[in-house]
Amino acid sequence: MRASLFAALALVSITACSSHDVSHNLSSAEDEARSPGVDATTDSAGETKTSATTAEAPPADPAAPPVPDGRPRIGAIGPHTWIWKKAERTGLAIGKMRMGTTVALKSTQAIEGPGCKGKWYAIEPRGYVCDDETATLDLEDPYFKALAFSAPQNGVWPYRYAHSNGAPMYSRVPTPEEWEKAEKQHGPANTWKPLGAWAIGHEENIVDEPIKATDEVPYFLKDGKRTVRAGNFHPDVLVLKRIPPGSMLAYSRAFEMHGRVWLLTPDAMVVPADRVSHMKRSAFHGVHFDESDMQLPFAWNRSKKPIPKYERDGASFKATSATLAPKSPIEITGETVKQDGMVYYELRREPGKFVAKTDDPDKQLDVDLVVTRAATKLPSGVTENEKWIEAKIVPGTMTAYVGMKPVMSTIFSPGKGGPPVPGYKFPEDHSKYATTAIGNFPLEWKERVATMSNEKGEPKVLWFTDVPNQQYLKAPLAMHVAYWHEDFGKRKSAECLNVSPVDGEWLFGWTLPNLPDGWNAIGAGQGNGESTPVYVSVN
């Protein structure tokens, strides 16, 4: 399969597919164990069982140290530590490192080259990193160690997350007198109110319970003092920035000092826990066919409520007391019966039982029951052994294939506007109508963890911190995790393909190109190999 040259992404990624104006020139960068969700086992009726979401986030594990393999490594200390194909800053970057993480060096020999204030170093398995203000060879550097203290964890959840009610981001833990003065503009603590219609989809996973202290005070914040620098901020500044209401916060630690709980962010800032709202963790995931005896076609209940099963009642149908659980699939035979404005699908493992939806074509975007069937032919350009993904906007269904063999099937959230409207142009109108673009999109860029915002440069108005497992189809269109809602299958985003945290982690690891050890992001082509195509259609 052809390898797609990726379109370069903005310095800060895209906010939950909100309105954005993205620069596509990376050469300007110098200026700037799957969790159980929908249980894959089935009952005798073939119905997939759901399990409750996890409301209480466990404490983070200590940051994993570099692999003790004896190889020298280089560490990332900048917000954007880019990886280049050659020892020169020309063209497009081929990848990126994450602050607080390391990658093995191929050689300790420094290389002179253009575009680097320091020296270039060859890294594994390919590419070069500039040892400038964004990188360090000294892994005992205090600032690097502080960032490594909050490096993202492996697995579905690299961090814990919270919804901001408007809060200061401190360089250290303030005294009561200091925080009283600094937080006057935010009003009383422990208060939250909805922000309006624009934010409804971002508030769904808020839990009305306090965030508890689960960790020790970070070693560099003991006794109310900060013993490492605060990035590019002046060390004497107490309030480094403020996180606006509606923004999302990632944190690695929750600890207590002065009778108050504090959160440590990945960039080593301190936020009062009583000015953010705890968010539950979605456990939803799709069906993996190597772990389940279920087979396509499915009918999905994509609503948040059970829907009835039906049986024949003479010449008509009647609802029974049996139901299909929320956000669950059930196997159907493929046979349908249309009657009285409804279409009924017979259940494969319950002969004589049906699930149903309206047959009105104008209501298909919002029906609770949707159907996903196995593909009947390969898309153009895909061979029988290649990976590819099929995403359908109206039903909100997604299936991953190797050739004609389904590997995983799930539901995702497309743009609020549904499929493209007449006159829509992509990418010019990418968020104007909140519609999801259709087409064949070989993945351009994959990023393990990154903050998403529609603002150029450092965001100041609204941002979602450290969204996991982002995969760009054609920037700014992305397939990415949404940790702020779990209404998958329904229209929720401003254009992107929202997937669950569990599904997002699996998809990120399954698609090509593979992310090398120590890298946080990778682009397709330029020696990184082929990319998995995503075929987005209306139905």
Side-chain angles (χ1 to χ4, degrees), residues 283-301:
F284 172 82
H285 65 71
V287 175
H288 293 257
F289 296 107
D290 62 344
E291 300 173 356
S292 170
D293 64 352
M294 295 184 72
Q295 56 184 279
L296 295 175
F298 290 162
W300 279 93
N301 174 10

Side-chain angles (χ1 to χ4, degrees), residues 444-484:
E444 297 180 332
W445 181 264
K446 297 171 59 172
E447 190 139 10
R448 171 74 176 94
V449 181
T451 293
M452 305 184 82
S453 174
N454 63 353
E455 302 169 60
K456 292 182 178 180
E458 183 179 3
K460 297 180 180 179
V461 178
L462 184 73
W463 65 87
F464 290 7
T465 308
D466 293 322
V467 177
N469 297 314
Q470 304 172 26
Q471 304 194 68
Y472 284 85
L473 282 63
K474 184 176 179 60
L477 179 65
M479 174 173 64
H480 65 80
V481 163
Y483 58 69
W484 46 90

Side-chain angles (χ1 to χ4, degrees), residues 155-217:
V156 174
W157 298 98
Y159 294 107
R160 290 171 272 179
Y161 296 94
H163 181 281
S164 172
N165 306 326
M169 304 182 76
Y170 294 109
S171 62
R172 56 174 173 80
V173 177
T175 65
E177 294 76 19
E178 287 174 324
W179 78 55
E180 182 178 358
K181 181 179 179 180
E183 298 176 27
K184 272 186 177 180
Q185 70 184 74
H186 297 295
N190 289 308
T191 57
W192 175 81
K193 61 181 180 180
L195 296 174
W198 70 270
I200 290 175
H202 302 160
E203 298 169 347
E204 293 185 7
N205 282 358
I206 290 176
V207 178
D208 186 18
E209 60 184 43
I211 297 176
K212 300 175 183 178
T214 54
D215 306 284
E216 298 293 327
V217 177

Side-chain angles (χ1 to χ4, degrees), residues 323-532:
T323 60
L324 176 59
K327 305 296 178 185
S328 293
I330 194 166
E331 295 169 290
I332 57 177
T333 63
E335 298 298 320
T336 61
V337 178
K338 292 185 178 182
Q339 184 172 307
D340 299 327
M342 298 288 286
V343 55
Y344 296 85
Y345 300 89
E346 187 173 21
L347 304 185
R348 177 172 172 264
R349 302 197 190 198
E350 296 179 73
K353 295 289 178 65
F354 300 78
V355 288
K357 67 174 182 176
T358 177
D359 197 29
D360 187 340
D362 294 330
K363 296 182 179 179
Q364 296 309 303
L365 270 173
D366 297 307
V367 294
D368 291 337
L369 189 83
V370 295
V371 172
T372 181
R373 305 179 188 276
T376 57
K377 64 179 182 178
L378 288 172
S380 176
V382 175
T383 65
E384 62 181 14
N385 294 318
E386 284 186 288
K387 296 179 178 181
W388 61 285
I389 295 172
E390 177 184 65
K392 297 186 176 184
I393 297 171
V394 170
T397 57
M398 179 182 293
T399 304
Y401 291 88
V402 176
M404 292 296 294
K405 181 180 179 180
V407 178
M408 189 273 279
S409 192
T410 190
I411 48 179
F412 75 99
S413 291
K416 294 178 183 178
V421 298
Y424 170 88
K425 294 181 179 180
F426 181 80
E428 294 88 347
D429 297 332
H430 63 83
S431 62
K432 183 177 180 180
Y433 305 103
T435 55
T436 298
I438 60 175
N440 167 20
F441 302 102
L443 292 173
E444 297 180 332
W445 181 264
K446 297 171 59 172
E447 190 139 10
R448 171 74 176 94
V449 181
T451 293
M452 305 184 82
S453 174
N454 63 353
E455 302 169 60
K456 292 182 178 180
E458 183 179 3
K460 297 180 180 179
V461 178
L462 184 73
W463 65 87
F464 290 7
T465 308
D466 293 322
V467 177
N469 297 314
Q470 304 172 26
Q471 304 194 68
Y472 284 85
L473 282 63
K474 184 176 179 60
L477 179 65
M479 174 173 64
H480 65 80
V481 163
Y483 58 69
W484 46 90
H485 79 82
E486 56 181 350
D487 199 10
F488 302 106
K490 293 297 185 78
R491 295 177 289 145
K492 305 294 289 189
S493 79
E495 68 171 330
C496 288
L497 289 70
N498 285 181
V499 295
S500 77
V502 180
D503 285 344
E505 188 216 15
W506 183 87
L507 287 164
F508 192 91
W510 182 79
T511 59
L512 299 174
N514 294 317
L515 189 71
D517 178 50
W519 294 33
N520 186 59
I522 185 171
Q526 299 199 85
N528 285 337
E530 299 175 343
S531 64
T532 298

